[in-house]
Amino acid sequence: MEMINLTIDNKPIVVKKGTTILDAASSIGIDIPTLCHMKLHDMNIENKPGGCRVCVVEVKGRRNLAPACCTEATEGMEINSHSLRAVNARRTVVELILSDHPADCLVCAKSGNCDLQDLAQHLGIREIHYQGSQSHYREDTSPAIIREMDKCILCRRCEMMCNEVQTVGVLSTINRGFHSVVSPAFEMNLDHSTCTYCGQCVAVCPTGALTEVDHTGAVIRALSDPTKTVVVQTAPAVRAALGEEFGMEPGTLVTGKMAAALRRLGFDYVFDTDFAADLTIMEEGTELLGRLNKYLAGDKQVKLPILTSCCPAWVKFFEHQFPELKDIPSTARSPQQMFGAIAKTYFADKMNIKRDDLVVVSIMPCVAKKYESGRDEFAVNGNPDVDYALTTRELAHLINLGNIDFKSLPNEEFDNPLGESTGAGVIFGTTGGVIEAAVRTAYEVQTGKALKRLDFEELRGMEGLRKATIDFDGTLIHIGIAHGLGNARKLLEEIKAGHSEFHAIEIMSCPGGCIGGGGQPYHHGDVEILKKRQRAIYAEDKNKVLRKSHENPYILKLYEEFLGEPLSEKAHHLLHTQYFDRS
Amino acid sequence: MPKIKLAEKTVELIREICAQFNNQETELINVLHQVQHKLGYLPAEVQEVIAKELNASVAKVYGVVTFYSFFTMLPQGQHPISICMGTACYVRGAEKVLTEFKRQLGIEVGQTSADGKFSLSCLRCVGACGLAPVVLVGEKVYGRVSPQQVSKIIAEYQDGCASAQSA
């Protein structure tokens, strides 16, 4: 490996050939400001169009300033990261960006979390010396994401996520010069496009140009309506990230505080999506074993591999891009929708509440869940199974509005019967978790033997594509795992070509799974945050007394009192779905 | 969005052009050139076929089409009129010529007349600066054009006077 010697701000440093000035500087504690640049280490995700020029530095002997994010260090380079010329250029660049940016920070949804705002403060900008035209575009509202392109600074992070990471290909920069803007083809609205609403564009947008549709107002109105019973469910990944919104260390589990906060906000019943995750395993696991056993018995008609179907962005992705494979994913609805269906039937009946008077709110790490809850097939006579899906960030806003000091809350429990869950339900929040939960149940049901170990390390990790083989007492089950839709596409191409080696595949749209969802607290490019959330999820699993979905006593009771058995007619009606060709 | 179905032979033509370039995404600009040459313009439905053939996203194809002023999504008139706005033509009065064309045809740059006969566009230098200001109608070049000549040029292409039809 060739090594390069250089100095940055008079500090000598040796780096590998190919290292950028930005990375070299950061390795010795010199924090050159950036704006368009974003790098998710370990995930091979990097955006460095060199477009914003905020990271320019002075290189001795070079005529012009060099953008640190996309200039490689070379032998003998002498760099000054904060020369007067570099600092002046940086300030000018930011002032020019601000001159074409709406000055509505006080009421912007991204205020306090905006990279542009932070940068302007960091550089101490107190006046904008330039006046010129301001770009103006029509606002585009979809079921999940709002595009407000007046606030776009053309960093192209969203374009990188949408095209290279997710391979969805909805967003592209169009037009030229001052009229350039990031847009779907033909400037159509997002909801006419093939957008999956994965929300990764929202997760990386440095400004308020891309945000989620805000449902907090509607939830507050429901909570203050005395004729309504309002129940809430919380997705597994939320408890591993919500604390960050209140200044807590990433990876702090706040399950108990979250339940307490929801109760103080006035929800009549505080339930858990983890319960529905256990239910999902009962249905999806049974479906998996059904198909597998037919296949092992020599039935060539049966379709394998079976694909998980919990992720709404992934469902929309294959409906648009691989409609010919729509018979392959499990027909099981996602935990959010299973919860809604059970709440508005089983629970409503039990409590003697009319369907129209029961409001189901979900707290999700996801923006696509907003779209999913609005799909026609998940409503009865126009009344949706899930009325409102809020993101983790929206819940934090609600908690603030409720004047709740989150950090000082006691730990409280979820309510029953829809609040009890096992460790298997919790790990749904991370890549590899759904399939591990399925394996724990499928193994015991299939072999009739108790598992000796519950931690399937071979299914865990952060690599985008993983595979493992699990020994089902002599029968080897091949499992594939993908997170990020670009990785999912690779597995789908294999299936389409007829040479997939897998029996079962788990797919999650977001890098890291739901812990890295588009509705989570912003990670600002720090992938360590995702790893800490992942560790928190596995810690919660380990702390549970019950760690296998089929041992959840309330799930067993639900089948006994209401559903009969997995894949029963009632279960099919309430817990399964169908997919549509949207190509 | 309402879907307009392209004629099968148009789709076939686009496929052939893409195949000439080995369906390579990197050849997108050349493909767009060829297709526009054959069809006169690049409507949304055509871009969708090109995207599919080259395995590129429609958004990307649209991005390229909107980046280059040469590409157009609007049908061109039977006789596309282009006025050179390069430096030489501009200083010799191209703008006055353009204004006169706009006035007589009642259309703006980028538009097509209601009868579909004429469309108006600007271009940058055709390499005939000695003839400035230059106007192209189809592929026929008119040099040293003055605003007074505009009505005569238009008349050449009106019904019954199509003797000077461009190739």
Side-chain angles (χ1 to χ4, degrees):
Chain A
M1 179 82 55
E2 198 182 329
M3 301 306 280
I4 303 282
N5 295 280
L6 70 155
T7 65
I8 306 176
D9 298 345
N10 296 320
K11 283 189 195 166
I13 171 177
V14 185
V15 294
K16 282 186 211 157
K17 189 176 161 54
T19 307
T20 62
I21 296 175
L22 183 69
D23 286 341
S26 123
S27 71
I28 49 171
I30 295 169
D31 198 7
I32 299 171
T34 57
L35 185 55
C36 64
H37 178 264
M38 173 167 261
K39 185 172 187 175
L40 296 181
H41 292 269
D42 313 338
M43 286 189 176
N44 287 328
I45 298 174
E46 184 168 17
N47 184 53
K48 49 172 181 180
C52 75
R53 302 275 149 174
V54 163
C55 65
V56 286
V57 293
E58 188 150 13
V59 180
K60 194 176 173 188
R62 181 176 158 139
R63 189 174 54 83
N64 52 358
L65 297 171
C69 72
C70 53
T71 306
E72 280 185 18
T74 55
E75 186 60 38
M77 240 183 195
E78 289 176 42
I79 294 161
N80 189 337
S81 79
H82 56 91
S83 70
L84 184 62
R85 191 175 161 218
V87 171
N88 278 342
R90 205 169 281 151
R91 291 175 57 104
T92 302
V93 161
V94 174
E95 278 187 48
L96 283 168
I97 294 171
L98 291 173
S99 76
D100 183 25
H101 194 85
D104 65 352
C105 294
L106 284 174
V107 291
C108 178
K110 205 61 181 288
S111 191
N113 254 316
C114 172
D115 293 350
L116 180 61
Q117 191 182 47
D118 286 352
L119 187 61
Q121 286 305 314
H122 181 88
L123 296 174
I125 290 174
R126 293 288 170 267
E127 194 181 346
I128 298 161
H129 294 90
Y130 307 97
Q131 260 193 330
S133 305
Q134 290 237 339
S135 319
H136 187 62
Y137 302 95
R138 133 189 96 80
E139 193 177 296
D140 173 15
T141 302
S142 70
I145 295 170
I146 300 175
R147 294 173 54 244
E148 214 180 320
M149 288 297 108
D150 294 7
K151 294 180 179 171
C152 173
I153 56 162
L154 289 167
C155 70
R156 318 268 172 106
R157 288 186 195 172
C158 56
E159 215 181 314
M160 187 254 323
M161 287 315 263
C162 189
N163 291 278
E164 276 135 67
V165 178
Q166 302 295 56
T167 67
V168 167
V170 161
L171 296 176
S172 174
T173 305
I174 62 160
N175 296 326
R176 185 171 190 158
F178 187 72
H179 304 288
S180 300
V181 63
V182 177
S183 162
F186 317 124
E187 285 142 270
M188 68 170 85
N189 289 340
L190 265 189
D191 70 346
H192 291 151
S193 75
T194 57
C195 176
T196 65
Y197 302 123
C198 73
Q200 282 304 308
C201 56
V202 176
V204 299
C205 180
T207 70
L210 295 165
T211 51
E212 74 263 48
V213 173
D214 188 338
H215 285 141
T216 51
V219 170
I220 293 170
R221 277 193 296 281
L223 286 170
S224 51
D225 183 342
T227 66
K228 305 284 185 198
T229 301
V230 189
V231 306
V232 64
Q233 53 163 325
T234 59
V238 176
R239 67 208 65 196
L242 179 63
E244 293 164 34
E245 291 282 332
F246 301 97
M248 296 163 88
E249 205 29 52
T252 310
L253 275 170
V254 294
T255 320
K257 289 187 193 301
M258 176 176 70
L262 290 166
R263 207 160 275 131
R264 278 155 186 70
L265 282 168
F267 288 99
D268 297 296
Y269 296 90
V270 179
F271 291 140
D272 199 354
T273 313
D274 293 16
F275 169 84
D278 281 334
L279 186 57
T280 302
I281 288 301
M282 298 302 285
E283 293 295 326
E284 199 170 278
T286 309
E287 194 186 351
L288 163 70
L289 287 179
R291 283 209 224 168
L292 191 66
N293 287 330
K294 275 190 199 161
Y295 175 82
L296 294 174
D299 184 347
K300 295 289 169 234
Q301 297 294 85
V302 69
K303 286 185 172 139
L304 279 182
I306 187 169
L307 307 174
T308 59
S309 56
C310 304
C311 171
W314 147 238
V315 166
K316 196 159 184 280
F317 179 77
F318 73 70
E319 286 182 329
H320 283 294
Q321 314 243 1
F322 294 88
E324 64 276 28
L325 299 181
K326 70 183 168 60
D327 294 338
I328 302 217
S330 160
T331 59
R333 292 184 191 181
S334 71
Q336 166 176 276
Q337 294 309 135
M338 284 200 183
F339 180 94
I342 292 297
K344 289 206 172 174
T345 53
Y346 173 71
F347 176 72
D349 292 350
K350 229 179 164 67
M351 306 305 289
N352 208 10
I353 304 167
K354 277 195 291 197
R355 183 179 175 99
D356 287 345
D357 291 334
L358 183 66
V359 177
V360 175
V361 176
S362 65
I363 312 295
M364 295 283 142
C366 179
V367 296
K369 288 285 172 189
K370 290 175 185 285
Y371 154 79
E372 183 187 49
S373 66
R375 283 177 67 128
D376 292 340
E377 63 270 30
F378 298 140
V380 175
N381 298 329
N383 179 286
D385 292 344
V386 174
D387 295 83
Y388 306 108
L390 302 186
T391 61
T392 310
R393 298 187 293 262
E394 284 173 279
L395 173 59
H397 291 161
L398 265 189
I399 292 171
N400 286 331
L401 279 176
N403 305 332
I404 295 164
D405 178 6
F406 187 78
K407 278 164 127 173
S408 69
L409 285 173
N411 289 328
E412 291 182 11
E413 299 290 326
F414 290 107
D415 292 315
N416 281 324
L418 310 180
E420 180 68 42
S421 68
T422 70
V426 176
I427 56 175
F428 264 58
T430 173
T431 171
V434 171
I435 207 74
E436 181 169 340
V439 164
R440 289 182 194 173
T441 288
Y443 179 94
E444 296 203 347
V445 172
Q446 178 81 348
T447 64
K449 293 178 184 170
L451 274 171
K452 288 192 187 72
R453 64 179 180 119
L454 289 175
D455 297 303
F456 288 86
E457 295 295 339
E458 59 270 50
L459 298 171
R460 301 181 182 180
M462 268 291 182
E463 300 83 62
L465 272 176
R466 305 194 296 281
K467 56 179 178 180
T469 300
I470 308 287
D471 185 351
F472 271 41
D473 204 23
T475 309
L476 297 180
I477 305 297
H478 302 295
I479 288 169
I481 297 166
H483 55 120
L485 290 168
N487 293 319
R489 179 185 289 279
K490 291 178 194 153
L491 296 183
L492 287 173
E493 295 287 0
E494 280 180 16
I495 298 171
K496 213 168 131 181
H499 50 67
S500 179
E501 56 179 303
F502 301 115
H503 295 113
I505 294 175
E506 175 204 282
I507 290 171
M508 296 190 187
S509 296
C510 291
C514 309
I515 48 167
Q520 291 280 59
Y522 295 107
H523 55 64
H524 298 282
D526 185 356
V527 81
E528 285 306 311
I529 292 178
L530 302 190
K531 291 183 183 167
K532 286 175 186 166
R533 290 176 190 164
Q534 189 180 51
R535 284 198 286 274
I537 292 271
Y538 285 121
E540 178 98 325
D541 168 36
K542 262 222 142 93
N543 289 337
K544 290 267 188 180
V545 180
L546 297 176
R547 296 180 65 196
K548 292 173 276 191
S549 298
H550 57 286
E551 290 178 352
N552 183 333
Y554 287 91
I555 291 285
L556 299 175
K557 200 167 153 202
L558 173 67
Y559 278 106
E560 194 183 297
E561 289 181 358
F562 187 65
L563 292 169
E565 55 181 17
L567 303 183
S568 69
E569 200 187 321
K570 203 168 204 170
H572 258 294
H573 176 62
L574 291 172
L575 307 179
H576 289 256
T577 186
Q578 55 172 323
Y579 306 113
F580 302 91
D581 180 349
R582 293 182 201 273
S583 64
Chain B
M1 238 177 19
K3 287 256 177 199
I4 297 168
K5 205 166 155 23
L6 288 175
E8 194 49 46
K9 72 173 201 289
T10 309
V11 176
E12 207 40 58
L13 174 80
I14 300 169
R15 285 201 185 122
E16 272 169 32
I17 292 170
C18 292
Q20 280 167 27
F21 293 97
N22 297 323
N23 294 66
Q24 295 235 323
E25 195 190 323
T26 47
E27 297 284 356
L28 175 59
I29 291 174
N30 287 328
V31 168
L32 291 171
H33 256 284
Q34 288 289 317
V35 174
Q36 180 164 304
H37 182 70
K38 296 278 188 201
L39 301 179
Y41 71 120
L42 299 165
E45 299 73 25
V46 166
Q47 294 180 42
E48 280 167 5
V49 178
I50 293 173
K52 195 160 180 228
E53 290 301 304
L54 302 186
N55 200 18
S57 77
V58 189
K60 183 177 177 179
V61 174
Y62 180 69
V64 172
V65 168
T66 54
F67 184 85
Y68 294 103
S69 58
F70 174 81
F71 296 126
T72 174
M73 286 182 66
L74 294 172
Q76 297 300 284
Q78 201 181 338
H79 308 288
I81 300 172
S82 308
I83 291 111
C84 179
M85 285 298 208
T87 313
C89 291
Y90 190 84
V91 297
R92 299 204 47 167
E95 197 166 22
K96 288 190 186 117
V97 174
L98 172 65
T99 309
E100 192 56 24
F101 270 109
K102 287 203 254 185
R103 194 183 65 79
Q104 294 206 15
L105 296 172
I107 55 173
E108 289 296 312
V109 172
Q111 292 181 338
T112 300
S113 60
D115 59 5
K117 263 204 155 63
F118 299 101
S119 54
L120 204 52
S121 69
C122 291
L123 46 76
R124 303 272 165 196
C125 199
V126 289
C129 305
L131 299 176
V134 171
V135 170
L136 268 79
V137 181
E139 287 178 7
K140 184 171 175 184
V141 180
Y142 294 81
R144 303 213 170 87
V145 180
S146 66
Q148 289 73 31
Q149 288 169 277
V150 166
S151 54
K152 218 181 110 221
I153 295 174
I154 293 173
E156 279 183 44
Y157 298 90
Q158 296 292 8
D159 283 339
C161 312
S163 54
Q165 181 73 278
S166 62

